[in-house]
Amino acid sequence: MIGRSRKGRSATSRRVQVPPLLGRTTAAAGAEDGSSVEITPRRFLFAVPPLTGHTNPTVAVAAELVKRGHRVAWVGHPGSLEPLLPPGSRVYPAVSEAFTARLRADREERPSLRGPAALKFLWEEFIVPLGHSMMPGVEAAIGRFRPDVVISDQQVLSAPVAARLSGLPWVTSATTSAEFTRPLAGMPLVEEWVRDQIGEFQLHYGIQDLLDLRFSDHLVLAFSTGALIGDVSFFPEHFAFVGPALGRPQRGDFPWEWLETGGRPAVLVSLGTVNGAAGARFFQVAADAVRDMDLQAVFVAPAGMVADPPPNVLVRDHVPQLPLLERMSAVVSHGGHNTVCETLANGLPLVVAPIRDDQPIIARQVEEAGAGVTVRFTRVQAAELRDALGTVLADESYRSAAGRIKDSFTAAGGAAQAAERLEKLA
């Protein structure tokens, strides 16, 4: 249970109604006539959870800001952050080792949860505890770095609260597009429960003017576009659909000579950085599916997970994903937002096997956009996966749809557009 707020009142003393997603609008910063304004060097603080997929887009945006003469820093778990950042990056600690140890233990339990149980676990065992765990570190980082703007991942509740308490503008970093579709609209009581969690968190720190902390009323950076999400024309001007922010540093070697040139198609099979260890069955099914197909496949899986891989399968525990995608013909994925968007940014079709959280929503977006097909992660058999992969490789309509999304991503501007919007706000 949450303790008592700074005001001395119980944080659960009244029911909380957080304003809905479109309840507030704020015009984008900048000159009223739309012209550019002169930019002076500013400080930007990124607050991220200890999750790779939620950090990667901020790396590219931060690099663009640094290129423009600004200073950037991160606040989060140094052990998770530092391997993803350029050498010498400034990182303020805000997540304890005890919390990250518990997070690793939770990963063993979460794969068995689905639907409302998984959502309840996500909020009660991760998002809310993470927010309280990070709050002292975020406040300390604001005091030491003195940022002009705080950029907060949607799963970091502490950063918007700390920014509001400090009188700073804050920006949402939406590293998944799932929340823009109101995924819980069909379950109003569950949707209300989530809003209550957000409201209770604010009351705990003495904030009475409640906002939905997943959506800044200053600026929301969404790393996707309407070509994948669907209609976004009704969102306020401060919702910036900038497309994926690519260009993060790529680490790790790869035996490029293994890939044929001008020969068989190549396919990437990946379940992301969190789900790989839970995917033993799926990887084995995938190996059986591609065994007799005329293609090459790169599996991103822990060592030893794929028993006796066929000759046309290369298993690596890490790959330089962005340059590797340039050599691929299709991708089999769990539906993680980063992997999906990076795949589509290369104009490649997908087979998506969603596991939990936002992944079923992203999979549905891919399918409705015509850029891929969906299979069941826990039940798919080799023949079904083989047929799905053969379909997206052979049917040109999937590649054409992926190409349309790629064009929309390019037009949206990515990291450069995100940096420009941040400059205008600062």
Side-chain angles (χ1 to χ4, degrees), residues 132-338:
H132 290 299
S133 174
M134 288 186 66
M135 190 67 183
V138 172
E139 290 187 308
I142 288 175
R144 293 176 61 189
F145 186 61
R146 302 186 307 278
D148 296 289
V149 177
V150 174
I151 302 100
S152 175
D153 184 87
Q154 283 186 311
Q155 292 190 357
V156 178
L157 302 181
S158 53
V161 169
R164 296 187 73 195
L165 291 173
S166 300
L168 293 173
W170 60 283
V171 175
T172 295
S173 172
T175 55
T176 173
S177 59
E179 294 290 354
F180 297 95
T181 66
R182 280 194 67 198
L184 300 176
M187 296 182 286
L189 293 180
V190 177
E191 187 175 55
E192 184 177 38
W193 178 83
V194 170
R195 287 178 177 168
D196 283 349
Q197 307 310 302
I198 298 170
E200 297 284 357
F201 189 90
Q202 294 170 87
L203 286 177
H204 180 78
Y205 294 100
I207 291 180
Q208 302 292 321
D209 179 19
L210 303 179
L211 299 175
D212 190 331
L213 300 179
R214 297 168 297 180
F215 301 97
S216 167
D217 55 349
H218 298 279
L219 175 63
V220 175
L221 295 176
F223 297 103
S224 187
T225 67
L228 180 59
I229 300 173
D231 183 19
V232 297
S233 62
F234 55 88
F235 285 97
E237 286 296 319
H238 71 287
F239 280 59
F241 293 88
V242 301
L246 307 177
R248 67 181 187 275
Q250 296 295 297
R251 295 180 173 87
D253 58 354
F254 186 82
W256 296 103
E257 68 280 2
W258 186 83
L259 290 173
E260 299 175 2
T261 57
R264 296 179 294 174
V267 173
L268 178 67
V269 180
S270 173
L271 298 180
T273 56
V274 175
N275 304 294
R281 177 193 174 275
F282 185 86
F283 280 120
Q284 196 58 56
V285 168
D288 293 339
V290 303
R291 187 179 302 272
D292 296 322
M293 297 183 73
D294 187 22
L295 54 75
Q296 293 182 287
V298 178
F299 283 32
V300 186
M305 178 163 285
V306 184
D308 190 25
N312 63 335
V313 170
L314 175 68
V315 181
R316 305 280 291 185
D317 56 356
H318 293 92
V319 297
Q321 183 160 297
L322 291 176
L324 186 60
L325 285 171
E326 297 175 4
R327 304 279 293 273
M328 295 293 108
S329 300
V331 172
V332 178
S333 165
H334 62 304
H337 192 262
N338 278 350

Side-chain angles (χ1 to χ4, degrees), residues 94-119:
V95 183
S96 68
E97 292 298 334
F99 185 89
T100 56
R102 196 184 87 185
L103 175 62
R104 286 191 291 269
D106 287 346
R107 288 176 181 173
E108 299 299 319
E109 179 181 350
R110 287 191 65 205
S112 64
L113 301 176
R114 297 290 186 274
L119 181 70

Side-chain angles (χ1 to χ4, degrees), residues 44-49 54-66 71-78 80-82 84-94 134 137-138 141-142 145 151 153 173 248-249:
F44 298 90
L45 178 65
F46 292 86
V48 294
H54 291 249
T55 302
N56 283 339
T58 70
V59 178
V61 175
E64 181 67 26
L65 289 169
V66 169
R71 299 185 68 181
V72 301
W74 282 264
V75 57
H77 178 237
S80 301
L81 267 168
E82 289 170 352
L84 305 174
L85 304 179
S89 296
R90 181 175 295 190
V91 177
Y92 294 98
M134 288 186 66
V138 172
I142 288 175
F145 186 61
I151 302 100
D153 184 87
S173 172
R248 67 181 187 275

